[in-house]
Amino acid sequence: DLNFKPDIIVVYNYPAISLLRLISYCKNKKIKLIADVTEWYLPQGNLFTKIIKGLDSYYRMNFLHKKLDGVIVISRFLEKIYKDCNIIRLPPLVNKKSDKWKKIDNLKLEFYKLIYVGSISHGHKDRLDVIINSLSRIKHSVKDFKFMIIGVTKKEYLSFFGSESLPSNVDDFVSFLGRKRHKEVIIKIKESDYSIFLRENNLLNTAGFPTKFVESLACGTPVITNSSSDRSEYFIKGQTGYLLSSIKEIELDKNLCKILNENKNKVSMMKQKTLDYNKFHYEEYIDEFNNFLISL
């Protein structure tokens, strides 16, 4: 409908030049303009591309977003940057009442099932190599476990990290399953004892918030990860998973040993506690978001 005029337009990590044009358009049409900011992208590619994308990101994040009627941010880091704006902080949200998050009966397996879901397309955003190498070192010091990797094939892993990057015993505990349909991935997460991912404390990871963390808890699967971004805010110690203080070799090996030698009954208790966790259910934020819209 060419005559349709929205009251509000929301842009999602929108490029600077396009956003400048939209700011002018919304001002002329008296339309409220909101930015949904979930990332602080680190420029990739050749030198020219890095310069162009770096300038775009810097200008958009530090200046343009502050000119808008409101900003939705995903982390406390971004909340501080836009503290003088009309702002609301929301983590990634799900509808916990949806059938896809319903509990399933898990197989009573003696060994632990760990799962990683993601890709290596964003460089070292997720340190999958650190996880595999640590698990390789502690393999004979813990109870039996299997590590399932979804989203990455063995060939892709070797291409990115190097042909000699995998430990010699990797086939004893790792399965590279590559890409799967989202519905199948959710079932695999539910069937696992823990999902695991580790990240460096850099600008990209501090400004963002991992969707995989939210989806794992929604599935009722505790998370093993390290402290970065706002994840510590959503952890209940011994109930929703384990928050590691470091991913350095000695400390990481020690902590993973302790976790994987826990009694399986404790894991069952944690999975139920995690399933009952509602901090990422969208209805928890309805009143807060309504107040944000009224303030525009």
Side-chain angles (χ1 to χ4, degrees), residues 46-151:
N46 58 42
L47 181 60
F48 177 76
T49 303
K50 283 184 177 180
I51 291 173
I52 296 300
K53 290 187 175 180
L55 289 172
D56 180 283
S57 179
Y58 180 84
Y59 183 47
R60 173 167 46 90
M61 299 296 286
N62 287 291
F63 297 101
L64 286 187
H65 287 161
K66 296 177 181 180
K67 296 178 178 292
L68 307 187
D69 298 293
V71 184
I72 304 169
V73 298
I74 203 169
S75 64
R76 287 195 180 278
F77 176 84
L78 292 173
E79 188 177 38
K80 290 178 182 177
I81 290 175
Y82 301 114
K83 65 182 187 306
D84 296 326
C85 303
N86 188 11
I87 188 173
I88 183 171
R89 178 171 62 94
L90 296 174
L93 301 176
V94 297
N95 179 5
K96 285 290 295 290
K97 295 178 180 178
S98 173
D99 287 343
K100 75 175 183 178
W101 306 117
K102 285 185 178 178
K103 182 180 180 180
I104 63 172
D105 293 327
N106 292 324
L107 297 174
K108 302 298 181 182
L109 301 173
E110 290 301 316
F111 61 85
Y112 278 101
K113 290 180 69 175
L114 306 177
I115 189 170
Y116 166 85
V117 179
S119 70
I120 53 176
S121 60
H122 296 295
H124 293 283
K125 185 175 183 179
D126 286 337
R127 295 306 305 269
L128 187 54
D129 57 327
V130 171
I131 297 171
I132 290 176
N133 288 326
S134 180
L135 292 176
S136 172
R137 291 190 297 267
I138 68 172
K139 181 72 173 69
H140 298 295
S141 303
V142 299
K143 296 175 182 178
D144 194 19
F145 66 88
K146 301 295 181 185
F147 183 32
M148 181 166 43
I149 298 173
I150 295 180

Side-chain angles (χ1 to χ4, degrees), residues 176-203:
F176 289 92
L177 301 184
R179 295 179 61 125
K180 298 289 181 184
R181 294 174 60 189
H182 184 68
K183 185 176 181 180
E184 185 177 352
V185 173
I186 293 299
I187 293 173
K188 293 291 187 186
I189 295 173
K190 290 180 181 181
E191 291 174 344
S192 301
D193 295 301
Y194 296 106
S195 64
I196 181 170
F197 68 94
L198 303 175
R199 291 186 170 181
E200 301 279 5
N201 282 306
N202 55 31
L203 177 61

Side-chain angles (χ1 to χ4, degrees), residues 120 123-124 126-129 156-163 165:
I120 53 176
H124 293 283
D126 286 337
R127 295 306 305 269
L128 187 54
D129 57 327
E156 289 170 338
Y157 183 95
L158 292 172
S159 175
F160 186 84
F161 289 107
S163 58
S165 57

